[in-house]
Amino acid sequence: MPRSIWKGSISFGLVQIPVALYPAEEPNELHFTQLDRRNMTPIRYERVNRETGEPVSWDDIVRGYPYEKGEYVVMSDEDLRRANVEATQTVDILDFVDASEIDPMYYEKPYYLAPASTNSKKKSSVTAYVLLREALRKTGKVGIAKVVIRTREHIAAVRPHGRALVLNLLRFAHELRSDEELDLPEMDVDAKGLGKRELEMAERLVAEMATDWKPEKYKDEYRDDVMKMIEKKVKSGQTTTPAEPEEEEKPRDTGTVDLIALLKKSLGQKGAKVANDASDHKRESAGAKPRKAETSKRKASGSRRAA
């Protein structure tokens, strides 16, 4: 079973569903090790102290925000969690929209959401999970939510996929470039000299090539060809033995479980919108507090980010 990268709860209305987040994609890219061509030894990348040149272990590395040149504010994982405990442990569904209304350009990265516990004593949380999954399936809606993953807030779509609920990270509107800056032909096809006969033939060709969507039909042929070439080199003895193994990175802790759950309190209430309004008010109140990080010194630093 894969390891979860986040644990918390789905929140919609007054319903809280304890869940765990799992990667839904498995990149199958070819990875090459960089070698020194003089003796075919792997090139090692080390975490070193810029001042002393000494190696630094993961245990001695902290996260610092550069608020001005050469000056940093150190932020621990606990600091980031305390900044907004609810946000870092909740998939907060704000709205439900028709799935067909979301332009595919907004979809970025999929994750599986699974019940955090199947313990018989926690049966209500599993029931609530199934309730949300089937409600979305029958209505054709997806939940638009906000969630914090690894110190960054994302907008996401919660939708049913077979037995699972899937959380698809979405791009914010400002992250998509407008096509206005491109030199594109206008929508008026007649003005571009496109004849009726050509368009009919193109439509006929599309119809002839139309088929059902079967993703397993499409293969990464380039990767297969590269692997065949690698296997051929192995068989012919064109290999080299590295002098030392690759350095393994130390895994990091990904968070804690936030178990909440009472489905019955929200049944029969109009409370979804009320709860959302209350949540919005709470966030606005929290946002009204002054933040020292947003000083003139920070502005002078531009858009630099923590290491």
Side-chain angles (χ1 to χ4, degrees), residues 230-257:
I230 290 173
E231 291 167 3
K232 185 177 180 179
K233 284 178 175 286
V234 171
K235 288 180 180 179
S236 64
Q238 299 179 55
T239 61
T240 182
T241 303
E244 56 189 63
E246 290 186 53
E247 183 179 358
E248 294 185 0
E249 293 189 351
K250 185 177 179 181
R252 300 183 178 186
D253 187 14
T254 54
T256 56
V257 180

Side-chain angles (χ1 to χ4, degrees), residues 7 106 134 228 278 283 295:
K7 290 185 179 181
Y106 283 96
E134 295 309 307
K228 288 177 183 177
R283 282 193 291 271
T295 62

Side-chain angles (χ1 to χ4, degrees), residues 29 53 57 61 100 114 138 147 149 156 164 177 196 227 274-275 294:
E29 300 175 2
S57 69
I61 294 177
S100 60
K138 291 182 180 297
V147 59
I149 301 176
R177 289 181 174 175
K196 182 179 180 181
M227 286 305 302
V274 174
E294 295 178 351

Side-chain angles (χ1 to χ4, degrees), residues 101-288:
E101 291 184 4
I102 303 177
D103 190 317
M105 288 185 68
Y106 283 96
Y107 284 102
E108 185 175 7
K109 191 179 183 70
Y111 292 92
Y112 287 121
L113 287 164
S117 173
T118 54
N119 190 310
S120 58
K121 296 181 180 179
K122 308 264 185 198
K123 187 175 180 180
S124 61
S125 64
V126 177
T127 302
Y129 181 94
V130 174
L131 173 68
L132 177 58
R133 184 188 68 193
E134 295 309 307
L136 293 175
R137 191 190 313 282
K138 291 182 180 297
T139 60
K141 303 287 188 182
V142 298
I144 302 300
K146 283 193 173 182
V147 59
V148 174
I149 301 176
R150 292 171 179 157
T151 76
R152 181 188 168 190
E153 185 175 66
H154 301 266
I155 186 173
V158 177
R159 59 185 182 84
H161 181 77
R163 295 184 302 150
L165 282 172
V166 168
L167 181 138
N168 259 109
L169 296 187
L170 302 176
R171 296 178 176 90
F172 285 99
H174 69 267
E175 294 178 310
L176 287 176
R177 289 181 174 175
S178 170
D179 61 11
E180 293 296 326
E181 57 193 68
L182 302 177
D183 185 15
L184 301 173
E186 297 299 328
M187 296 294 290
D188 185 2
V189 295
D190 293 333
K192 296 301 175 183
L194 183 62
K196 182 179 180 181
R197 186 164 177 266
E198 289 92 340
L199 185 56
E200 288 177 349
M201 291 179 65
E203 291 174 352
R204 193 184 313 153
L205 178 59
V206 171
E208 289 177 358
M209 295 179 65
T211 185
D212 293 331
W213 166 240
K214 296 179 180 178
E216 65 277 2
K217 170 183 174 181
Y218 307 96
K219 308 294 183 182
D220 185 348
E221 295 180 2
Y222 179 76
R223 182 185 185 280
D224 292 342
D225 290 342
V226 173
M227 286 305 302
K228 288 177 183 177
M229 187 177 294
I230 290 173
E231 291 167 3
K232 185 177 180 179
K233 284 178 175 286
V234 171
K235 288 180 180 179
S236 64
Q238 299 179 55
T239 61
T240 182
T241 303
E244 56 189 63
E246 290 186 53
E247 183 179 358
E248 294 185 0
E249 293 189 351
K250 185 177 179 181
R252 300 183 178 186
D253 187 14
T254 54
T256 56
V257 180
D258 174 39
L259 296 178
I260 330 167
L262 278 178
L263 178 63
K264 293 183 180 179
K265 288 185 178 180
S266 64
L267 294 178
Q269 294 189 24
K270 298 178 181 177
K273 187 176 187 308
V274 174
N276 284 337
D277 290 343
S279 178
D280 289 343
H281 178 72
K282 181 179 178 182
R283 282 193 291 271
E284 289 173 2
S285 299

